[in-house]
Amino acid sequence: MNGIQKVDTRALQTNRFSKLLSSIGIYAIAALFIVLGVVLQSMGIINNFLTTQNMMNIVDAVALLGIVAVGMAFITYSGHYADLSAPTTIALTGIVSVELLRFGFIPAIMGAVVVGLIIGIINGIVIGKFKANPIIWTLAMSYVSMGVIRFVWVNKQIYPDVITDDPFPVMLFDNIYRFRFFNAISLPLIIMLVLVVVGQFILKRTAFGAQLKLTGSAKRTAKFSGINVELMIALAFIISAFTTTIAGLAITSLSRVGAYYNGAGYDFRAVTAIVIGGMTLAGGRGSIIGVLGGTLVIGLMNNIMTLLGVGTFSQDIIRGAIFILVVGINAKTLRSMGRDDA
Amino acid sequence: MKKQVKVVLLAMVLLCLGGLLFAQGEKAVGVTGAGAAANLEASLKVDTSVLKAADGQPLLRLSSELPKIPTRPANPEALPDTDPLRWFDMEYAGWDTKKTNIPASPKDGAIGKRVVMIVHGDHPWTTACSNGAKKVADAYGMDLKILSPNWDLAVQNQMIDQSINERPDMILIIPLDATTAIQQARRINQSGIPFIFFNTLPTAEAMNYAITWTGPDDFGQMRKLAKVFADEMRRRNPGAKELGIAYVQHAPGGSPYFARSYGPLSELAGYAPEVVTLDMQAPGFEADRTMQLVSDWLTRFGPRLKGIFAADDSAQALGIIEALKKAGRDDIVVVAAGNSKIGMDMVTDGSLFAITYQTAEGDGALAVQTAADWFNGKELPNRRDIPQHIITKADVADFYPPQW
Amino acid sequence: MQRLYGVWGGMMRKNKLDKSKLLALGDRFRIYILFGVIFIFMSLFAPRFFNSYNLTTILRTVSMNATIALGFTIVMICGEMDLSIGRTATFAAVIALTLQKKFGYGISVPIAVLAGAGVGLLNGILVAKIKINSFIVTIGTMTILQGATYTITGGNSVSLSGDKVFAISDFLAKPLLPMLPPRVLLTILFVVVFHLFVSNSQWGRNFYMVGGNRTTAWLAGINTDRITITAFILSSTMAAVAGILFAMESSAATLNMGDNSLMYVVSATIIGGTAMSGGKGGILRSVVAVLSLEMLYTGTILFGFGNEVKIFISGLILALVVLYEAYASYKHEKTIGQRAVLLEELAQAKEKI
Amino acid sequence: MSSENLGLALKMVGVGKRYPATIAVDNVDFEVYAGEVHALVGENGAGKTTLMKMLAGSFNDYTGAIFINDKMVKLTSPSIAKSYGIGMIYQELSLAQPISIAENLLVGRLPRKGLFIDRDKMVSESKRLLKTVGLDLDPLLPIEDISQHEAQLVEIAKVLGTNPCILVMDEPTSALSQEEVERLFKIIAKLRNRGMAIVYISHHLPEVFKVADRVTVMRDAKKVATRNIGEVTREEIVHMMVGRSIKELFTKEKREVGQPRLEVKGLSRYGFFHDIDLQLHAGEILGICGLSGAGRSELAQVICGIEKADAGTVLLDGEPLDGLPMAKRVLRGLGYLSEDRKREGLALRLAMDDNILSAVIPKLKQGVVYNKRSGKPKAMQLIEELSIYPPDLDRTAGNLSGGNQQKLLLAKWMAINPKVLILDEPSRGVDVGAKMTIHETIERLAHEGNAILIISSDLPELVRLADRVIIMRKGHFTKIMDQSECSEESLLLAANTEVRV
């Protein structure tokens, strides 16, 4: 009882060390990539790697991915894998916003947000309340919303400047992606950073975050602790749909066209960023800062490969292998800590 | 009990199968022979040259310039990528094919003919193409049915089979893939239904079974664009010993992947030897990924990079222009293949130097027109090209409003 | 299936059609009923649906996805996910055709099948031994396979020509028995073998056990790792076989020929009643679901609807099935543990009022 | 006992097993004769279950030597263990829920006809096995459609069906009714007489005395002693288990019983329990006794708001709680310690502080900020009060021993500063020391003026703690017994009697 149980103190130390490692793990990998870049640069194999401009390019490039990943991380954190309806949510909110641009900029944004939230709420209710399998349900949802886009807009793509003759809302819409603070920092980057800070705060410093953690780690226990798990899960899906909507607006603004194919691939790419960032699909583990790290690692990886002149085909192979490697190492570390839940 | 259930199930299955055996394929609809001559006469009177596309350009135009066909090298694949003849099989497919088992024209006029058009998939381009096709079909009073397999090869195969089953007078088809087209072509050919490939060039072998092919000469067009591209770079960098360029490629797996990177590559090797290819990448059709790619190129090559050749003038071109704007590099010449509104807007504002004129409506229209010509008993060449043109700021206004 | 006999047998014994039993039976026969309804509807209303040519076309089209579904269903029964099936099909097809040029089908096909099995082995080891979530692993292998496929082909699709190759293509596609070309016959053979294997053999039942409760299975002396790895190998192998056969029939392989199969097969397997949580489902159900979806798609084409209708309908069916299952288990959870005695008491009390 | 004539069935010499953080079994010698029932007792975390898992082949990295029938064996996987005739009935149910009873029973050894499974034989064999444990179920039903105690019996039948020569039973009676326990004991006796070696792990000492021939006591990963059951008393065993003597009997303090704190009027959840009336006063400990499936836990879940009531009201300190979600009720001081600590009580993958504070998250809110730090002193204090070991807030709950987990669960509900606490099996599967701590804490809580409702199948626990005991049977309260009337026998009798109030 009191202190008579034998404890292997070495194990406790590794426990703390591994914990530290797992919390900064992804940044260690990011640092590793930067060191690799610097070494390659000093050897003269690549150039201009460690410059402000290049670093800005990297973060700029992954800003949209980061926005989607931050929201979807809430779903992963709640133990519900991912939202496969993200690509069609991007397409649908984008096309709706362009369509509504005829009534002005604000209605366009509001309309997109409303549509995004409706998708989030439907996902949330069906998965939270009725406990549908998240992967399958969001897959079904993506089919349905794709069907809606195809029904309403047939195969058209619609352009902001064709929808309305008023150049002002078109200019505003165009600048969702293109606006730069001090001519350097892009709006999506700011949005991503704000979302990361807010997301990290929500996840780690609010009651909702604590309850979501419990929901993700042990759903039934959470229910028996008085937590409204159905609401928590629904909120996670709504948050995801919300940030996906923001990404949808930005992507549509960037491509200057509302079309059904916008956003393709963002589902699996976001999952990749989240998982590389140290969140486990079992739920309740990881952080938004980690997800940011995961997103940056993806950006760094792409950057170094392009600077090295690695061909498109080999890039895919390397990307997949590094992904599996990072997740595998993470799983092994967790297991050595006695957490068999990767 | 279990046994009984099994027996009942088995009986049901047998019953179904038995029923199916008696079900027969639909018989071919006989061609009306009586009014054939009158129909032909009326059909020949139809004038489609007055039709206009949505951009105000004439809907139907044929390319006036026909390329000279070089002799095929023994093994094109052994040649280096920079040799134009390396791409012989892709570029000159159809010009010199030996037609086999081609049905003879009934010479009874196009009016009232049932034509099935199988495209590749849903896209705004396809919509425009279908519109063009419909305009010509309406002019001839043809019954045109358009099927879209949504970029799924298995579905396209199925649609071909279903069309064969339906026995129309003609099938028009955009092959989803140049190589699988051989089997598709053989299948239709064996069924005796005349068919025409359009838009995408199948391999030479597939062309043996088709009446003809119509559409844009992607290679030729890209070679043209490459020349304009090189000229502009020379103009902006007078006397430069080296002009570094990079290619943003089309998605791998189709002929545009080759036509829109190796076409210009092999052309420039001869036309402008000072042009040096720095890199080629296929980032897909997403603006943000293209943007990252180009930003990385700017980091990697810096001032060496003088021009970018893109396979797509909408999302890819947007990504390129964004990256260039961010880096403040307005000296770089960007050209892109395609004829979309986004591309034309960027040509108008000067950020994109040139794009290709590629009429989507005309593409579909020419296919139907060619079908009509066949019904009317016209002699058809082995391929018919839509005209080539490079759009720059000087004449971009003529092509508004865009077709898609 | 054996559960199905149980309910059926129970009904026969009692010799009365109890309403709830009938509903349960309907639930279990769900996919077969759906199949029947679609088949009859299409036969009656869709133009040119019910004739041997069209039915052969459907069977030929369905062959690829049905074959992929065989292995995929086993992975699902094990409670795992395999997102790499589509790309594996492409990968194997490309290998088979590329090597055919040098060695002929006799050597290239076995190598391609082995390559497919190798992908499964890799997936299986990463999932079972390294213990990474299968969803993650297969996203990774999916990306790797794409790169590998592009690298092998240099970015172009692979095609073959020549009389010999065409003869094989034609042989595979032309009906051998009435309505049944060899490729379809092969698929039927696969279905029968897999069905017997999964539902009637010790090894096959072990998949259910591992999916139902991994610990139990392990404690019962089943080598769960080996079972999981086998499931992934079967999944990838069948995907490879499907891809190769498709490519052999077309004498060509494109670089994205398998991409559409992934979501198709996933949807069909779920609609067929195989649960993602594992331990439930069956081979036959998945195959019938693939067939049902295909008839539905064919119907939309024959009716002249566009793809939007097709996408919408498949989404709707999938959504309805998922909703129905979720709602049923929600209801089941609410009433589990209810005492019949108390419910009778309640009914009596109501009657008095 | 004469079983020694039959020879040693199992001999473990100097075996050990270490986990990343602890040494679970340390150099233990253990012997079992064929034809004997050998009880293995010890507190939670003493290493009994680990020792037996080692025997069942769950580890491939144990140290020491294991002999079966005098032959040294390496039991590195369950299948190897099975091949040596070792059968183990686990504490946690190890059945596959979606799979049929028959396939669960015959897992790994389905009857075959040629290549394929012989279904008829599978069904008949399953029926035969089910009969041995007194069940008459359709073997083709999936496990998820049968009740928990039926599942427990299926589990026993499954292991018996493998005809083991060494049978290990880890707490086999925890989910069983009294009748079923009796039947199980008869089966055990029969198996022993057939010459089987049986290891019986239990916390329930009366059971041990009833069924075992010899007993081995473990403490702190080590073996303390092995004795013949006739030569040892209950007190001696407890002494060996705990390492110090514990008064099992003690006098009850008199508490002041005050105002009613919790009132339940006409509460029903149709199909589970009907028309429940209840008054619980400040300072009172009220017990609810009943067989499993009587609707006790369901009642508690409705009172605390996890499930909705179909009729009736619940009042806390005179204020109705109807329609309030559980979170609001918790804020008002109503707590529910659930029965299944692994699935419903604790988040085993989270740290201890997360668990202790899991029910008070809304309370620690300051504006929108959740201040976990402000809850830590309270958590630390509770850990000390309940002497939870190790007292490390960052430790993952799943790495604690069962007793400490249960104390952690109690700490979680004490953290809400409860006025009314409903405890569902508060000491199930817990060692004597932890049980004592828990009981003392419960009494202290009552003494401080809180009202406690205890639901328990552990009759001595009710007799010891409760001021009044309500008997629940088939969804109804059938009897209320005062402390003076309560004894283990009277409670058992009442719980099995069909009487309505």
Side-chain angles (χ1 to χ4, degrees), chain A residues 8-322:
Chain A
D8 190 340
T9 46
R10 272 178 317 160
L12 272 180
Q13 275 160 9
T14 21
N15 192 346
R16 293 216 178 89
F17 177 69
S18 313
K19 202 171 170 186
L20 184 75
L21 195 76
S22 79
S23 63
I24 60 153
I26 189 57
Y27 287 94
I29 293 169
L32 210 68
F33 271 108
I34 292 179
V35 168
L36 177 72
V38 171
V39 168
L40 289 172
Q41 188 176 354
S42 64
M43 288 163 70
I45 297 172
I46 63 176
N47 45 40
N48 298 326
F49 173 73
L50 203 63
T51 58
T52 330
Q53 185 58 47
N54 191 40
M55 292 297 140
M56 282 304 291
N57 284 343
I58 293 172
V59 287
D60 252 5
V62 292
L64 293 175
L65 177 61
I67 292 173
V68 179
V70 166
M72 206 187 281
F74 279 82
I75 293 176
T76 313
Y77 197 68
S78 78
H80 287 78
Y81 289 66
D83 181 358
L84 296 189
S85 67
T88 49
T89 307
I90 289 174
L92 184 59
T93 53
I95 204 166
V96 164
S97 67
V98 175
E99 188 69 50
L100 292 180
L101 213 56
R102 64 175 90 240
F103 304 114
F105 182 67
I106 301 294
I109 302 295
M110 297 306 289
V113 171
V114 167
V115 169
L117 290 185
I118 288 173
I119 294 177
I121 289 168
I122 294 174
N123 284 342
I125 290 175
V126 176
I127 295 165
K129 180 99 180 158
F130 298 126
K131 305 186 179 68
N133 181 294
I135 294 179
I136 303 301
W137 174 258
T138 52
L139 178 67
M141 192 67 203
S142 77
Y143 274 123
V144 171
S145 42
M146 180 58 84
V148 168
I149 301 176
R150 294 282 194 96
F151 252 133
V152 178
W153 286 276
V154 198
N155 295 316
K156 276 190 296 188
Q157 49 190 13
I158 53 175
Y159 305 93
D161 52 344
V162 173
I163 286 292
T164 172
D165 293 332
D166 186 357
F168 186 63
V170 176
M171 189 271 286
L172 284 180
F173 192 80
D174 220 35
N175 271 312
I176 297 177
Y177 186 83
R178 291 180 176 77
F179 184 76
R180 284 172 192 284
F181 293 94
F182 314 114
N183 243 345
I185 305 159
S186 69
L187 185 59
L189 180 58
I190 297 287
I191 293 177
M192 179 186 78
L193 292 176
V194 168
L195 284 176
V196 166
V197 171
V198 172
Q200 176 74 6
F201 176 78
I202 291 176
L203 212 59
K204 296 293 171 188
R205 291 276 176 273
T206 65
F208 166 66
Q211 289 175 331
L212 195 66
K213 182 177 185 178
L214 205 65
T215 307
S217 323
K219 198 164 130 192
R220 212 171 150 77
T221 297
K223 186 181 167 191
F224 276 71
S225 306
I227 293 169
N228 189 343
V229 288
E230 295 163 3
L231 183 67
M232 296 302 129
I233 295 165
L235 282 175
F237 276 90
I238 292 169
I239 290 174
S240 169
F242 177 70
T243 67
T244 308
T245 305
I246 296 179
L249 286 168
I251 288 171
T252 312
S253 160
L254 169 62
S255 52
R256 285 185 181 141
V257 58
Y260 70 86
Y261 50 76
N262 276 346
Y266 267 92
D267 43 0
F268 289 148
R269 282 168 70 197
V271 175
T272 314
I274 292 169
V275 175
I276 288 188
M279 276 204 178
T280 63
L281 291 192
R285 280 213 199 297
S287 67
I288 298 293
I289 297 290
V291 172
L292 175 67
T295 314
L296 291 179
V297 163
I298 290 178
L300 269 169
M301 201 157 74
N302 290 345
N303 180 256
I304 292 177
M305 284 195 293
T306 310
L307 291 188
L308 275 173
V310 178
T312 313
F313 308 159
S314 318
Q315 282 198 14
D316 277 332
I317 299 179
I318 295 172
R319 213 175 283 139
I322 288 182

Side-chain angles (χ1 to χ4, degrees), chain C residues 2-3 199-202 205 208-209 213 216 218-221 279-280 334 336-339 342 345-346, chain D residues 58 78-79 82 90 94-96 99 103-104 110 116-117 119 144 158 269-272 274 293 474 476:
Chain C
Q2 91 281 11
R3 276 172 64 183
S199 68
N200 276 325
S201 77
Q202 170 86 56
R205 298 315 293 179
Y208 285 86
M209 209 64 208
N213 188 332
T216 316
W218 187 68
L219 292 173
K280 273 182 193 168
K334 287 274 168 210
I336 197 165
Q338 271 191 345
R339 294 186 77 99
L342 288 174
E345 185 184 294
L346 199 69
Chain D
S58 291
S79 48
K82 248 175 101 172
Y90 288 87
S94 70
L95 296 172
I99 314 282
E103 283 188 58
N104 268 295
L110 292 168
F116 298 123
I117 287 165
R119 289 194 181 279
E144 60 197 3
K158 169 176 129 185
R269 188 174 163 217
Y270 298 144
F272 295 93
H274 292 178
K474 291 185 180 168
H476 292 285

Side-chain angles (χ1 to χ4, degrees), chain C residues 235-253:
Chain C
S235 171
S236 295
T237 309
M238 288 324 284
V241 168
I244 294 166
L245 282 176
F246 182 82
M248 280 172 80
E249 200 196 290
S250 344
S251 292

Side-chain angles (χ1 to χ4, degrees), chain C residues 149-191:
Chain C
T149 309
Y150 286 178
T151 310
I152 292 171
T153 60
N156 198 5
S157 39
V158 192
S159 73
L160 300 174
S161 56
D163 290 342
K164 255 189 184 169
V165 175
F166 288 161
I168 291 174
S169 298
D170 292 346
F171 173 73
L172 286 171
K174 290 256 167 64
L176 193 68
L177 297 176
M179 286 183 31
L180 302 173
R183 181 155 165 244
V184 175
L185 285 173
L186 262 179
T187 309
I188 293 174
L189 179 73
F190 291 145
V191 171

